[in-house]
Amino acid sequence: MNRQYIRSERAHYMCPNMHFGIRFSLHSVFEPQKIREILELLAAAHPFLRALVQREDGTDNLFYNVTDESKIQCSSLADETKVEQAWGCIAISEWNVFVEGLLKVFSCPTQEGTTVLFAAHHLLTDGRGLLELVCEFTDCLADGKTPKFAEEHL
């Protein structure tokens, strides 16, 4: 994959906490390991889910440093209150994209099944793109449909 430079450094520093979230319910048994496995498949299909932001030596330009391993933060929580608290924490603290991946996923068991929250930094996607990731996740969970590789283009 060619190096993908971030051309919105000023916008990033003006909005370090700009992010999008989608919370959804699954009518299936809470299986944290299955959630992690599907997130690994998503990361394999989408290079920016394996990336941290890095400064280029000599130019100081920002770029997505894509690695071989997923950078998705996945947390299994005790209940929906903890998921809401996790969202609140994201909203008030700076998301350090130099050390944290661009997607955070929180899940918990409910009486009906499972609640999942996808939270994405604005350097990963907008709300529409995040909805597409959620759909890929649920398609994989429900139908076993493996996410297709998507070359990232800026």
Side-chain angles (χ1 to χ4, degrees):
M1 175 176 174
N2 293 331
R3 186 170 282 180
Q4 298 289 314
Y5 289 95
I6 300 170
R7 304 289 183 208
S8 61
E9 179 178 5
R10 182 171 175 236
H12 171 71
Y13 287 110
M14 289 168 50
C15 307
N17 290 348
M18 188 172 161
H19 52 274
F20 302 92
I22 296 178
R23 180 178 167 173
F24 55 99
S25 297
L26 302 170
H27 295 286
S28 62
V29 176
F30 179 60
E31 297 180 83
Q33 186 56 39
K34 181 77 169 173
I35 291 170
R36 284 184 181 84
E37 289 169 7
I38 295 171
L39 292 175
E40 288 295 324
L41 292 173
L42 276 177
H46 299 285
F48 287 179
L49 295 177
R50 301 187 315 267
L52 298 176
V53 173
Q54 186 174 339
R55 289 192 183 279
E56 184 177 56
D57 291 336
T59 68
D60 226 19
N61 290 331
L62 296 176
F63 67 97
Y64 294 94
N65 183 24
V66 178
T67 67
D68 292 333
E69 64 185 46
S70 173
K71 300 299 182 197
I72 301 171
Q73 175 187 321
C74 180
S75 301
S76 300
L77 304 173
D79 57 46
E80 290 182 288
T81 303
K82 299 293 185 192
V83 172
E84 289 174 24
Q85 289 172 350
W87 176 252
C89 288
I90 290 172
I92 62 171
S93 63
E94 186 168 332
W95 192 321
N96 187 343
V97 296
F98 295 100
V99 295
E100 299 177 85
L102 302 173
L103 180 66
K104 298 179 182 185
V105 177
F106 304 93
S107 61
C108 71
T110 64
Q111 288 183 340
E112 298 80 28
T114 303
T115 289
V116 181
L117 169 65
F118 273 43
H121 193 278
H122 74 100
L123 290 178
L124 174 64
T125 186
D126 60 10
R128 175 69 186 149
L130 184 57
L131 178 59
E132 291 177 21
L133 283 176
V134 167
C135 288
E136 283 188 73
F137 175 87
T138 57
D139 286 348
C140 187
L141 181 67
D143 300 328
K145 186 177 175 184
T146 302
K148 301 258 188 265
F149 177 77
E151 183 72 35
E152 307 289 1
H153 298 285
L154 298 179

